[in-house]
Amino acid sequence: MALSKQKLVKTGIWQVLNTVVVLVSQIGANAIMARYVTDVEFGLMAITNAFVNFACFFSEAGMGDALLQRKVVEPQHKNAALYFSVLVSVVLYVIFYFCAPLIADFYGKPELINILRVLGFSFILLSIGSSSLNLMQKNFNFKQVFFSDSLSLFASNILGVVLAMKGYGAWSVVWSILFYNAARMVMVWIIEPIPLKLGATLKHWKDLAGYGAGLTLIRINNYVSGFGIMLEIGKLVSIALLGAFERSYRYTNLPVRYIGDMLQKIMMPFMSKMQDEDEKLYVFFYRAQSFSNSLLVPISLFGLVFCKPIVFILLGHKWENAIIPMQILFLSLPFRITTKVADALMRSKQLVYRNAGRKFQYVVILCVGIYVGWLFDKNSLVGISTAVTLASVFNYVAMLLTIRRRVFTQGWQKLIISPFKNGLLLSVCIIAPAYGLYFLLNMFVQEQVVSFIIVTSIVGVILLFLFLKRPKWLGEDFADMQKEILKMTKGKGGGKKRKMMEEELKMQHDNDIPTVTEPINE
């Protein structure tokens, strides 16, 4: 059966549900834990997460994504990916275990030793479940991905909150992360077991190794721009300031991380199938860019304008030093989501090494910029946050140049401004009246948080009404999504109507999302 627009939207809906559940769960849990875990303890976790995630990139070695990208996957490919990932992760953990005291001495924090050694189990758990998770995505089992991921995270966040309230401090975060990785590993193995008895050969490993190695290089660069910068900042500022920056960066990164991951997971299976059809690939990529910025540009500017009450809600009044850094980082969201969506395009065209080169340039600019920003402002986080945002703009420009040279030599100019237009228009229409109402409410309500909650609730209700009743007012991207959701909802009524819709789907070809061969289900 062809991969129609209907199937794409259905895939997208499950990913949207997963993203919403994960975001709400993460924001709620972190908001509660910030009241019980200090900025110093979050600073310790920032350093710990940086080292653990570095090991994670090597332990998985891109093998799971190599399975996702490969057109034909044999059972032995699955085993080769699993065996290699587990072997590397075990070796890395042994190294990690004995290096923990050295890391603790480097930062002058002896409490890091046990935290590093316990949390290090995470990358072993991730390597065991990676192949199964990617195969679920490859086979479009996004409903199962939703339950395995969101339920595991929801339960782990409850555990983290309970432990934080009982005074476990940084360890509440450690046990929460471990529980999430273990629970998700068990669930994906139940849903998508690996046929271990069939074994693997060197040939099957080589089929995956080239792509996996290139992707690992890209992920190392992604690591430095995400977790790795915490190691540099941790040596430049106090642990308390590091904790404030980590919280600011984490919250502003949530939309990029989860919406970007959602789009990548939806796009990769389709793009891999149409990688040789440039015209269809261009349309698909452009629509993804436009949709992502229709979401992220309003979120970015809304966060900039209302950052103070957002910080008070998410972190509490004791975190005022996070307000200005968070405002500056909010400005980087559209550029970061655009380059993240472009990563899926590069991977589908098997330009992983070219993309890795671009990422390396970005990482160098980022790390140098952070140090320069610190030299200009050693007593706060303004210089460092500004450097991170400017580096994101540089990465966006470098991405456009790469696309121009290697992917779309024609029509790339349209990708410069056009994907941002709908998001900018929505921002003006949403934020201007929202701030006016917020200003008026503050004249009568003394607490800014209460005014912000009222304004946000009103804006949310209006946007929901427009999406359901007047979707064209929000732009073509939302109108198309609403139309397909309604089709699917009506199609669940059963009977002749549903049968007619199924027959219509079979006849769809040129007017739908580019049709490709259905993935092989092992």
Side-chain angles (χ1 to χ4, degrees), residues 346-489:
M346 297 291 119
R347 286 160 58 187
S348 69
K349 297 291 287 184
Q350 301 188 42
L351 295 172
V352 289
Y353 289 99
R354 177 65 59 177
N355 202 29
R358 173 182 65 84
K359 292 276 188 177
F360 178 74
Q361 295 173 13
Y362 163 59
V363 165
V364 172
I365 294 294
L366 177 63
C367 293
V368 172
I370 286 173
Y371 184 74
V372 173
W374 172 75
L375 289 176
F376 278 97
D377 184 13
K378 295 184 178 181
N379 298 318
S380 73
L381 297 167
V382 174
I384 292 174
S385 302
T386 302
V388 172
T389 298
L390 291 177
S392 299
V393 177
F394 167 83
N395 194 28
Y396 166 72
V397 174
M399 178 272 295
L400 284 178
L401 293 175
T402 303
I403 289 176
R404 177 191 177 186
R405 294 185 189 125
R406 300 290 173 176
V407 187
F408 303 128
T409 56
Q410 302 294 327
W412 65 272
Q413 298 91 336
K414 188 179 178 182
L415 299 173
I416 300 175
I417 301 296
S418 295
F420 296 96
K421 287 182 179 178
N422 191 57
L424 288 170
L425 181 61
L426 285 175
S427 299
V428 173
C429 295
I430 293 170
I431 297 173
Y435 187 78
L437 178 59
Y438 176 73
F439 181 80
L440 290 175
L441 284 173
N442 280 334
M443 297 174 63
F444 302 99
V445 181
Q446 293 184 348
E447 182 57 55
Q448 296 182 38
V449 170
V450 176
S451 299
F452 175 74
I453 292 174
I454 294 173
V455 169
T456 305
S457 300
I458 293 173
V459 170
V461 170
I462 292 174
L463 290 176
L464 180 61
F465 172 80
L466 291 177
F467 180 76
L468 295 175
K469 300 297 183 181
R470 299 287 188 275
K472 290 184 178 180
W473 290 17
L474 299 176
E476 287 186 20
D477 302 310
F478 293 101
D480 287 346
M481 176 178 282
Q482 189 257 22
K483 181 180 178 182
E484 296 302 330
I485 290 175
L486 289 180
K487 280 184 181 179
M488 291 175 60
T489 304

Side-chain angles (χ1 to χ4, degrees), residues 204-238:
H204 290 96
W205 176 78
K206 288 181 178 179
D207 288 341
L208 305 174
Y211 182 87
L215 188 59
T216 299
L217 291 176
I218 293 175
R219 285 181 167 174
I220 290 173
N221 291 322
N222 289 341
Y223 156 81
V224 175
S225 63
F227 293 98
I229 59 174
M230 302 300 170
L231 302 179
E232 179 184 4
I233 297 171
K235 287 297 291 183
L236 298 176
V237 303
S238 66

Side-chain angles (χ1 to χ4, degrees), residues 241-269:
L241 274 180
L242 174 63
F245 180 84
E246 189 273 342
R247 290 290 92 184
S248 300
Y249 189 82
R250 174 180 286 268
Y251 276 115
T252 56
N253 195 50
L254 282 176
V256 176
R257 178 184 174 187
Y258 289 110
I259 295 176
D261 285 350
M262 174 191 73
L263 290 171
Q264 282 189 341
K265 289 173 182 176
I266 295 170
M267 292 168 63
M268 266 304 296

Side-chain angles (χ1 to χ4, degrees), residues 153-170:
L153 184 64
F154 186 73
S156 70
N157 282 333
I158 293 176
L159 175 64
V161 167
V162 171
L163 292 178
M165 295 176 70
K166 289 185 175 293
Y168 279 74

Side-chain angles (χ1 to χ4, degrees), residues 1-12:
M1 188 176 73
L3 291 176
S4 65
K5 183 188 288 186
Q6 212 90 6
K7 191 167 189 177
L8 172 63
V9 173
K10 185 176 181 180
T11 297

Side-chain angles (χ1 to χ4, degrees), residues 15-79:
Q15 278 301 112
V16 168
L17 285 173
N18 189 33
T19 301
V20 170
V21 172
V22 167
L23 272 174
V24 172
S25 176
Q26 284 281 72
I27 291 173
N30 284 319
I32 297 173
M33 293 175 72
R35 271 73 176 174
Y36 296 94
V37 182
T38 67
D39 51 2
V40 173
E41 289 170 324
F42 275 123
L44 292 174
M45 287 308 303
I47 295 172
T48 303
N49 279 326
F51 281 104
V52 170
N53 278 278
F54 182 71
C56 285
F57 290 128
F58 284 102
S59 64
E60 199 269 331
M63 288 292 169
D65 284 274
L67 290 174
L68 176 60
Q69 188 273 342
R70 189 171 178 81
K71 286 187 176 182
V72 179
V73 176
E74 300 173 7
Q76 289 82 0
H77 284 123
K78 302 175 184 179
N79 290 340

Side-chain angles (χ1 to χ4, degrees), residues 68-105:
L68 176 60
Q69 188 273 342
R70 189 171 178 81
K71 286 187 176 182
V72 179
V73 176
E74 300 173 7
Q76 289 82 0
H77 284 123
K78 302 175 184 179
N79 290 340
L82 177 64
Y83 296 160
F84 183 77
S85 298
V86 173
L87 175 63
V88 173
S89 66
V90 171
V91 173
L92 282 172
Y93 179 74
V94 173
I95 297 172
F96 199 75
Y97 183 91
F98 290 105
C99 287
L102 300 177
I103 297 171
D105 288 342

